[in-house]
Structures are given as structure tokens and as C-alpha cells.
Amino acid sequence: MTIVLTPYIVDGVQKLKLAPQPPAKPKHGLTPPALEDSIHARRCLAQLRSKDKAIEKYIYLSALKNEDPSMFFKLCLENMAEFTPIIYTPTVGDACLQFSHIYRRPEGLFISIKDKGKIRSVIGNWPKIDEARISVVTDGSRILGLGDLGVNGMPISIGKLSLYIAGAGIRPSSTVPICLDLGTNNTTFLEDPFYLGLRQKRVPDKEMTEFMDEFMSEMSRAFPKLLVQFEDFSTDHAFQYLERYRNKYPVFNDDIQGTGAVVLSGFINAAKLSSAASGKPLTSHRILFFGAGSAGVGVAMQLMSFFTLHGLSEQEARERIWLVDSQGLVFDTRGELAEHKKYFSRSDYTGDRLVNLLEIIEYVKPTALLGLSTISGAFSKEVIRAMADLNPRPIIFPLSNPVRLSECSFQDAVACTEGKVLFASGSPFPEIPYGKSVLFPGQGNNMYIFPGLGLGAIIARVTSVTDTMVEASSLGLAEALTPEERSMGLLYPRIERIREISAHIAKEVIRASQEAGVDRSSQLRSMSDLELTKFINQRMWDP
């Protein structure tokens, strides 16, 4: 057996530690005599492709990951476009809905409100505390567009971490999927005899905040090198806990910050193409958001960077963004508003309520229409045509997940704009032959952002995740298109290049952390960009 020692630096002094070893192969006689890795990889793919239902493919891959993680991640890296929709959106939504019915074996850490006051002892049961570097934490209260799923939200944490491993080379033993069981208000689950969570309604906010304070404190003590990603908390709690903890612990919220970053990246590339077609400056874009929850407002906050990077003030940037919620256009004199909507509420409109989306488009005259509403078909053919009437190349991003909740399809967007649409969705759509060419839909998948953002934060050993780090991840992604990808009209790089993309984003995130003074890996500061990129690649785990 080869023993590998890896260097690490403490207080400027280089030391060596034993690198984690891959599991030993079974001894002779414990496997068939002709078992060979390359043939077995083909065998595993054949088994996967023999399944005719996405959920069955999910179950098979979950079993493969448990039994042979190296094979699972090897196949995942080699078949990213095929695997990603299975292990994450859209299939993970169905996996969450059916979690209590398809449950096979323990995976992840479950901490319930019944553990309040003794969370430390529960965390202490995690078998690989010293190796932990990143955790995805959900309370299951707003899973994708599916609502309150309680502990059935655990596949979200598991799926996200699988993408950290595949996309950024985070070592599997360094990941900690966590689901917090604070009850559920989903009566269907409460009445389901197979439901695996507490059979009680969600606890009041005061009790939840006390629980969260204890949880975050004990997580910091047990896992001093851990980055925490919040995932799929309800809108108000998502904003509340991000603000409460972001300056105290290394934590970020992917729904608010990750979604915003990946959309900003796609928007940067789309806006350049749209402005080239219209002849209007980049600062003239007007963005209409259909959906004003945590994701919608988080994306809106991030897209302000597009305008400020081009010289506009914060106020001027805010004036180029409009929100639409379930009651129509968000404006000051409409009545009481949720706190997170007030920042973008319009003070320049005082008329009657505008509820009809076509009327709102006529009033706002947007160059870009972004959907984060989880309302299937909200962007009707009439709405898409209205955008095309206003813009030579309209920007239409139906970002809701899963596919069945998307505001429109790529096919409708192409047909109603005569192929001129600049399109990105939250879940994948197939490419479309159009005339003598093929049109490719963009997918504003957070997977482009969070692996590299997380990897950079871990390597830099940051004390907090700053807005500038998130912005750096977005700009890094926007720059990652190859000349060939740009010639194809792509807004995002091909997902098959995810490791290369993540390394580039990690480098940009580390540099931003250094500028913000939140990095603790001070030895990285003296490295050139080339040296730093090489260092990052060396830290990536390969199956």
C-alpha cells in the first residue's frame, strides 16, 4: 500500500499529515474472477439506463453511491449532463415527495426540535467530525416549488453535496447533509403512516430561533473548519437566518445568494447580446421579476451588481428592477408589504393595482422577464410575444423548479419570438433544431456556482462569506465561456467542464476573500493566479 503525506500549514509552519486512503479492494475470492473496473462502469451505466422512470434511476444511483462511491462519482463526472437531472433537479423533487416511501438506509444527520438543549450530543454522533468541511442544512419548509415537506427534504441536502463532490472535488467524507425537523404543516405527511418526521405542526418562530442559535453555536464548536450552506428554508426564515449568522459564522444561503449569482452570470452574457441587437447601452436594461419570494428578491439584489458594475449608483440600479408577486406589481401605496419586498417596492407608481402580467409588461416595458414564481405556464404565448414586440432579442428566464413548474417552455419561447429569445431556465430543456441551426437553452443551475464558491471558501478558510465573494463567483462564471460556446450563443458553459469552471470560480472567490480580509489561509496570498489555480486543482478529490 502506498502511503501519501499531504502538506498543510499552521501559523506559517508546514506540517505533514496522512492523506485519507481509498477503501481497500476486496480480497481474492470475494469478487467474481472477471470483475474489471472499466467493464463494470459500463455495466453500471447499462443498469441505470434500463430504468424507465426517473425516480427508479434516482434510487439506483443512491444505492450505487452507498455501495461504491468511487464508481458513482467517476460515472457522474464522465456523464454530468445525464446524471445531474437525476441526482438533483428535477428528479430530486420527486425523491423528496416520496422520501418516506423510498427510504432504504441512514444517510445524513437528522436533528429535531426534541433535541433542543442537547444538540451537541446529537452532532457528536457524526462519525467523521474531524474531516467535515461543508454541510448543507435544510428545515424542509420550502423545498423547490413543492412547499413544506418536513424531513422529506433531506434528499435536497444529500443531492447538493453530491454535486459539491462531483463538481468541485470536495472529498465525500468531508460532507455533512443535515435536515432539521421542526415539524411540518403538511397535513398529508402528518397523516401518512410512513412519514419519517415528527408528527407535529411547525414550532413558533421564537422557539425556532432559540433552536437555530443553539444549532449554529454547537456546529461551530464541533466543526471548526465547516462551511454551512442553508437550503430551502421558508422565505422569511431564509432572509432572517442569513442576516443573523452571516457575520458570525462561515455561512451562505444558496437560494438567495447562489441563485442570484448564477442568474447574474447568465444575465451578463444575455444583456450583451440583447444590447448588441437593440443598439441600446447595457445600463438601459429594465428587469421585471415575476415572483417575489426569497429566491426572487435574492436574485434581484444580486442583479443590482450588473448596473453598479457599469457605473450606476445603488439607487439608479434599484430603479431598473420591478417586482410582481401574487397581488401584482409591488408598489408603496398598495398596502402592507412583507419586509423583504420593501427594498424594491416602487415609489414612482401610485395608480390602481396592476395584476395582469400583460398590463404590467405594457407599463414597465422590460427588456428582461425573470420568473421565480413556481407557477407553471405563467409566461403565456401572449406574454412571450409581448416581450418580443418590445425587444429585438428579449431576455426570458423561467427559473422555477422543477420543470413542471417552469413559467414557460423553451419550445414556446423560441416559437413565439421567431428564435430570437435569450433563454435560461431553472431546470433543463432539450435543444431545438431551428431553421439551419440548433438553439441551445441556457440552464441557470446553481450547480455552476455553489461548488466553486464552497471550494474557494473552504480552501481560504474564511471567517464569513461576503457579498463580494458571491459576486466574484458570478463574474468568474460569466467569464468562463469558451470562444466556441460563445459562437453557439450559449449563456452558460457546458456542464461537462464543471471541474474546470469550479477551479476558476474558487480562485476568484479566494481573491475576493483576501481583499475582504476574511481569509485565514494567509500563505495563499503570495501565490500568483497560476500557482493558486494549480494549488486548487491539487486539492480536488478524484474518484
Side-chain angles (χ1 to χ4, degrees), residues 257-269 302-303 305-306 309 448-449 453 467-480 492 504-505 508-509:
Q257 296 164 291
T259 302
V262 77
V263 176
L264 171 60
S265 175
F267 184 82
I268 288 171
N269 292 323
Q302 198 66 56
L303 258 64
S305 299
F306 172 80
L309 287 168
Y448 282 114
I449 290 290
L453 174 58
D467 288 338
T468 54
M469 290 166 61
V470 177
E471 183 178 286
S473 71
S474 181
L475 298 179
L477 175 59
E479 297 165 356
Y492 293 99
H504 176 68
I505 289 174
E508 297 298 314
V509 167

Side-chain angles (χ1 to χ4, degrees), residues 179-364:
C179 185
L180 307 176
D181 188 356
L182 301 164
T184 180
N185 296 331
N186 189 317
T187 55
T188 300
F189 292 151
L190 290 175
E191 295 170 0
D192 182 354
F194 289 162
Y195 179 60
L196 289 164
L198 296 177
R199 297 183 185 279
Q200 67 175 60
K201 295 286 188 179
R202 287 194 172 272
V203 298
D205 283 359
K206 181 176 182 297
E207 188 175 357
M208 180 177 178
T209 298
E210 292 170 353
F211 174 91
M212 289 297 298
D213 285 347
E214 180 188 352
F215 169 73
M216 291 300 295
S217 175
E218 297 301 341
M219 286 284 284
S220 178
R221 290 183 183 182
F223 305 115
K225 298 179 180 179
L226 193 76
L227 172 70
V228 173
Q229 177 193 313
F230 287 147
E231 183 74 18
D232 284 353
F233 280 69
S234 63
T235 298
D236 290 344
H237 290 151
F239 282 101
Q240 175 188 348
Y241 294 129
L242 177 62
E243 290 305 313
R244 189 176 184 87
Y245 303 123
R246 65 180 305 183
N247 295 317
K248 192 174 182 180
Y249 307 107
V251 61
F252 75 103
N253 185 302
D254 189 53
D255 302 302
I256 297 172
Q257 296 164 291
T259 302
V262 77
V263 176
L264 171 60
S265 175
F267 184 82
I268 288 171
N269 292 323
K272 291 175 182 177
L273 296 172
S274 179
S275 287
S278 68
K280 296 178 181 177
L282 291 169
T283 52
S284 69
H285 280 282
R286 301 160 70 86
I287 308 173
L288 179 62
F289 282 86
F290 186 75
S294 60
V297 174
V299 173
M301 294 294 293
Q302 198 66 56
L303 258 64
M304 286 182 60
S305 299
F306 172 80
F307 297 106
T308 57
L309 287 168
H310 287 92
L312 298 190
S313 67
E314 179 182 334
Q315 178 61 28
E316 289 170 330
R318 185 167 59 169
E319 289 172 354
R320 281 155 177 78
I321 294 172
W322 286 257
L323 298 184
V324 177
D325 63 11
S326 59
Q327 300 179 57
L329 185 70
V330 175
F331 60 98
D332 290 354
T333 59
R334 194 184 77 176
E336 187 175 350
L337 293 172
E339 191 64 33
H340 68 277
K341 299 178 186 179
K342 292 180 180 178
Y343 183 81
F344 289 106
S345 180
R346 305 297 300 192
S347 60
D348 55 357
Y349 179 81
T350 56
D352 294 334
R353 290 193 178 211
L354 283 177
V355 178
N356 184 282
L357 184 54
L358 281 170
E359 293 178 358
I360 295 171
I361 289 172
E362 183 180 353
Y363 169 71
V364 174

Side-chain angles (χ1 to χ4, degrees), residues 72-102:
F72 169 82
F73 286 111
K74 177 180 183 295
L75 292 176
C76 187
L77 271 173
E78 293 173 354
N79 303 274
M80 286 300 300
E82 181 178 358
F83 273 50
T84 301
I86 301 172
I87 62 178
Y88 202 61
T89 57
T91 307
V92 75
D94 290 332
C96 288
L97 289 170
Q98 301 182 53
F99 177 68
S100 291
H101 288 251
I102 64 174

Side-chain angles (χ1 to χ4, degrees), residues 31-104:
T31 60
L35 181 63
E36 197 272 319
D37 284 350
S38 62
I39 300 298
H40 188 49
R42 289 163 53 192
R43 181 183 295 111
C44 291
L45 279 177
Q47 291 181 48
L48 172 68
R49 292 165 180 168
S50 72
K51 315 292 182 184
D52 59 358
K53 293 184 175 64
I55 192 65
E56 292 298 330
K57 293 184 178 185
Y58 175 91
I59 292 169
Y60 170 74
L61 288 179
S62 296
L64 180 62
K65 184 177 73 169
N66 180 72
E67 298 297 331
D68 191 350
S70 291
M71 178 62 73
F72 169 82
F73 286 111
K74 177 180 183 295
L75 292 176
C76 187
L77 271 173
E78 293 173 354
N79 303 274
M80 286 300 300
E82 181 178 358
F83 273 50
T84 301
I86 301 172
I87 62 178
Y88 202 61
T89 57
T91 307
V92 75
D94 290 332
C96 288
L97 289 170
Q98 301 182 53
F99 177 68
S100 291
H101 288 251
I102 64 174
Y103 179 80
R104 298 291 202 276

